[in-house]
Amino acid sequence: TAAVYIFGMEKYKPIARSAVLTAFVGYLMVMVGLFLDIGKPLSFWHPMVMWQPASVLFEVVWCVLLYSAVLFFENISKSKAIIIPLVIAGITLSYGHPPSLGALFLFSGSKLSALWWTTLMNNLFFLSAIAAGLAMVSIETIVSHRVFKMDENREIVAGLARGTAIALAVYLAARFIDLAIKGNIGLVFAGGKESVLFIVEILIVAIPIMPLFLPPEQKLVNNVLACQVMVGSGVIIN
């Protein structure tokens, strides 16, 4: 939606509304998960009236609630004058809770391997969310066009692929630069369960980068689909 309504990339307009619907359904699932995950589901309303601004979870709850509301109104809005402010609000809110969820893991300290624990974890969560989001929209676009026997827009698929590749490259660069600066790069090759899991995760995320960077005329839709599934799998493993 930012690409279409803020940066004027009109070629992505055919998938903007389906992307918003995907996000809305996803956030409904998140809210159900959080409702069960808090241990005392009947207390779900507490953050709305018992404010704790110093709490990371307080910020997460409010961002998820507000972002879900924004997505709902984006889905039903027809006027561009209404959608643009909603898109701006969505961009702002979507930067809020992925970093906050990442920041929650900062409390784990020595319980989490230094291959994953870093003071930049909140920013890495946000960077990985961009790659995962583009991958999900790409998968949905390809699969839905095939299910409903619609012509595949290769230009859109190629653009999403390139965007995913750029997001992945930035994410991987940030991860390895952070490991190097903190002196933890040696842990990658130290052997053991953590090292193996890290290498598997990174390979699953890194292998699709080059195919996704290919020029549009060289991109096969099946290959893009396989690469985007790998991207999503790598983020899930992480």
Side-chain angles (χ1 to χ4, degrees), residues 144-191:
S144 63
H145 277 66
R146 291 182 177 182
V147 169
F148 295 107
K149 302 188 184 325
M150 299 164 62
D151 291 335
E152 292 172 333
N153 190 320
R154 291 191 172 223
E155 189 179 3
I156 288 178
V157 171
L160 289 170
R162 187 171 182 81
T164 306
I166 293 170
L168 285 177
V170 172
Y171 168 69
L172 288 174
R175 279 201 82 174
F176 278 98
I177 290 170
D178 181 63
L179 284 171
I181 290 173
K182 291 182 169 61
N184 294 322
I185 201 78
L187 294 174
V188 177
F189 310 102

Side-chain angles (χ1 to χ4, degrees), residues 6-232:
I6 306 300
F7 300 112
M9 301 167 73
E10 291 291 325
K11 73 175 183 180
Y12 296 108
K13 195 166 186 178
I15 62 167
R17 194 164 289 277
S18 62
V20 172
L21 179 60
T22 301
F24 182 58
V25 172
Y27 272 84
L28 288 180
M29 293 170 65
V30 167
M31 285 197 287
V32 171
L34 289 175
F35 179 74
L36 299 172
D37 207 29
I38 58 177
K40 296 173 65 179
L42 296 181
S43 302
F44 76 93
W45 55 273
H46 284 189
M48 301 175 210
V49 294
M50 302 176 185
W51 283 41
Q52 297 287 343
S55 166
V56 174
L57 281 176
F58 174 78
E59 190 268 352
V60 170
V61 168
W62 269 99
C63 267
V64 170
L65 285 173
L66 292 173
Y67 192 46
S68 299
V70 165
L71 291 169
F72 171 76
F73 287 114
E74 276 190 83
N75 271 298
I76 64 172
S77 297
K78 304 294 182 186
S79 168
K80 194 171 182 180
I82 297 173
I83 288 178
I84 289 177
L86 288 171
V87 170
I88 294 171
I91 294 168
T92 306
L93 290 167
S94 64
Y95 180 72
H97 54 279
S100 296
L101 288 169
L104 279 176
F105 284 89
L106 293 175
F107 295 112
S108 60
S110 60
K111 294 179 181 178
L112 189 62
S113 168
L115 287 169
W116 290 276
W117 193 96
T118 169
T119 50
L120 291 180
M121 199 179 299
N122 54 339
N123 294 307
L124 291 176
F125 261 59
F126 180 67
L127 292 175
S128 68
I130 295 173
L134 289 169
M136 189 63 230
V137 173
S138 187
I139 292 167
E140 176 205 63
T141 300
I142 295 170
V143 172
S144 63
H145 277 66
R146 291 182 177 182
V147 169
F148 295 107
K149 302 188 184 325
M150 299 164 62
D151 291 335
E152 292 172 333
N153 190 320
R154 291 191 172 223
E155 189 179 3
I156 288 178
V157 171
L160 289 170
R162 187 171 182 81
T164 306
I166 293 170
L168 285 177
V170 172
Y171 168 69
L172 288 174
R175 279 201 82 174
F176 278 98
I177 290 170
D178 181 63
L179 284 171
I181 290 173
K182 291 182 169 61
N184 294 322
I185 201 78
L187 294 174
V188 177
F189 310 102
K193 182 175 66 176
E194 289 86 357
S195 177
V196 171
L197 285 172
F198 179 84
I199 291 171
V200 169
E201 171 201 326
I202 293 299
L203 284 176
I204 291 176
V205 171
I207 288 172
I209 290 181
M210 289 309 296
L212 292 176
F213 258 128
L214 288 173
E217 63 273 10
Q218 294 182 28
K219 282 190 176 81
L220 298 176
V221 176
N222 283 338
N223 291 349
V224 171
L225 180 60
C227 287
Q228 298 289 31
V229 169
M230 286 184 71
V231 174

